[in-house]
Amino acid sequence: MRIRESWRVAPALVLPAVLIACDGTDPPVAARLTVSPSSVELAALGETQQLTASVLDEDGQAIADAPVTWASNDNSVATVSPSGLVTAIGNGSAAINAVSGNASGGAGVRVSQVLVSFEVSPSTGTLVSFGETLQLDARALDANGNVIATVGIAWSSANEAVATVDADGLVTAIGNGSADITATGGGSTATAAVTVAQQAARIDVSPTATTFPALGDTVRVTAEPFDANGNPVVDADVVWSSTDQAVATVDSTGLVTAAGNGSATVAATAGGASGTSEITVSQVLVGVGIVPANITFFSLGDTARLEAAGRDANGHPMGSFTFTWSSENEAVATVDATGLVTAVRTGGTDVLAVSGELSAAAGVVVTQLASEVRLTPEVDTLNAVGDTVRLTAMAVDRNGHEVEDTDYIWSAPHPSVVTVDSSGLVTARGVGTGHIRVTATRAGAGYVGVATITVRASASGALPARRP
């Protein structure tokens, strides 16, 4: 506040007053009134200034406790209380008049707000959609926090690729990022920090529904997030889920895989938005399969259980079906009503499972392998050199069945005592004990039959020698 003494005050209308003293003498008459200070400048609305009035009589003597009436000629600029307290109301000028009896005086008041602070409200803001707007308000304030309406405001954005601002402080989101919005007025500046961070308000999922005819089938589901104004949210973090993973699974890229018959909902979620795709898995029968598809038997009488099932396009079993079983060559292998296959003889055949118009075949091979070679006799004695005995060999599989279509290889590790030909005929060559070995060509390497032959005497009657 500044006080000046140079203001001129308009003459006040003075009304005559008659004062009569109680003691009968004439009371003092107000002849002159002065107001101090005579001029006032107020820099903030609500600011006050106390005025005082001095009332003098004709002799220039102060009249104590003289009554004074105060008035303002413009209450929209400044008001004055009965005690002379002036309060700033609005920018402009006003005259304050004081009257006491026939005397009057006054003071000039000028109200001119002075900017002491400058602020933008709100000071921060986050926009979640391109095209979304935020209204900023810039205020120039005097010392009492009153807005100075006469201050012009200019707006600017530090990053118009993120947000723009118009002349009225309306901010519009353009792209993700941060931008400082600056307001300038009255030689002062203030900023608001604006962040644009798109959030998905909806997610469009494609396809919205899929039916799988086979387990293991897949489909790529795509998700497109959009903000509230319909702009694509490019960098949205989409999370995928399935309501029933026993029916359909989904990976982090949206690849859906059929896992079992039924229905499931696959959802793509980003923030508070989500989109869904309805998945149905309903296997379609395209063929019949047998497990195992091939069997090899190594002994007659061996058995194996075959399982037949309907198959979808990816070979997965499905449903319950009734099958009729048969063998194309029961001389090689037979099959019962439950799919139990039994080896009969060496050879090959197909075992069929039939259900309606659908059928499947499993290949069955019977190829005997000897697990033992039996010699008859296993022990024998020849009485003289030159005597002979015929040995017979029989290879049997692990179930004791003779192995068909096998050849035998004969050998005599002690040829000085006995020898053997390719037909198993043993001939005594010298006194002693020797072994005859036979191997079946359809036997494993460890399956060898052994016969022990003793030659009792030579042609001269010598006793047999001991053989290890």
Side-chain angles (χ1 to χ4, degrees), residues 20 43 47 60 69 93 108 145 157 159 217-218 251 320 349 354 358 363 374:
I20 301 174
E47 187 178 357
T69 299
S93 297
S157 170
N159 190 349
D217 279 355
T218 61
D251 68 11
S320 297
T349 186
V354 179
L358 298 176
R374 299 172 181 174

Side-chain angles (χ1 to χ4, degrees), residues 448-459:
V448 177
V450 178
T452 301
I453 305 298
T454 300
V455 180
R456 295 182 60 82
S458 64

Side-chain angles (χ1 to χ4, degrees), residues 20 78 115 127 152 203 208 215 243 256 270 311 344 357 374 394 414 450 461:
I20 301 174
L115 188 151
L127 303 176
I203 297 179
T208 57
L215 304 187
T243 58
V256 179
R311 302 284 175 173
V344 176
E357 296 181 355
R374 299 172 181 174
M394 183 176 69
H414 308 115
V450 178

Side-chain angles (χ1 to χ4, degrees), residues 110-127:
R110 185 190 302 277
V111 179
S112 180
Q113 288 175 283
V114 175
L115 188 151
V116 296
S117 66
F118 191 71
E119 63 182 28
V120 171
S121 178
S123 60
T124 62
T126 299
L127 303 176

Side-chain angles (χ1 to χ4, degrees), residues 254-440:
L255 183 66
V256 179
T257 303
N261 289 299
S263 298
T265 299
V266 169
T269 304
S274 64
T276 59
S277 180
E278 299 302 323
I279 304 299
T280 300
V281 181
S282 180
Q283 286 176 285
V284 175
L285 181 67
V286 297
V288 174
I290 296 179
V291 178
N294 295 283
I295 301 174
T296 298
F297 292 118
F298 296 104
S299 299
L300 304 186
D302 278 355
T303 61
R305 176 84 58 191
L306 297 180
E307 299 287 342
R311 302 284 175 173
D312 62 21
N314 293 329
H316 296 281
M318 56 176 293
S320 297
F321 298 90
T322 300
F323 293 94
T324 300
W325 294 91
S326 63
S327 171
E328 290 188 339
N329 188 347
E330 293 191 340
V332 173
T334 61
V335 61
D336 67 11
T338 66
L340 183 67
V341 180
T342 303
V344 176
R345 62 167 294 174
T346 298
T349 186
D350 284 338
V351 172
L352 303 179
V354 179
S355 179
E357 296 181 355
L358 298 176
S359 64
V364 177
V365 174
V366 180
T367 176
Q368 279 182 291
L369 289 180
S371 60
E372 180 185 357
V373 178
R374 299 172 181 174
L375 282 176
T376 303
E378 291 184 341
V379 178
D380 201 1
T381 299
L382 298 178
N383 291 319
V385 173
D387 285 354
T388 62
V389 61
R390 185 168 301 279
L391 301 181
T392 59
M394 183 176 69
V396 296
D397 60 28
R398 66 180 180 180
N399 291 330
H401 298 282
E402 183 178 0
V403 177
E404 302 175 356
D405 301 326
T406 186
D407 293 324
Y408 296 97
I409 300 173
W410 298 86
S411 64
H414 308 115
S416 63
V417 177
V418 288
T419 60
V420 63
D421 66 10
S422 61
S423 67
L425 182 65
V426 178
T427 301
R429 299 299 183 185
V431 177
T433 300
H435 295 138
I436 302 299
R437 295 176 179 270
V438 62
T439 302

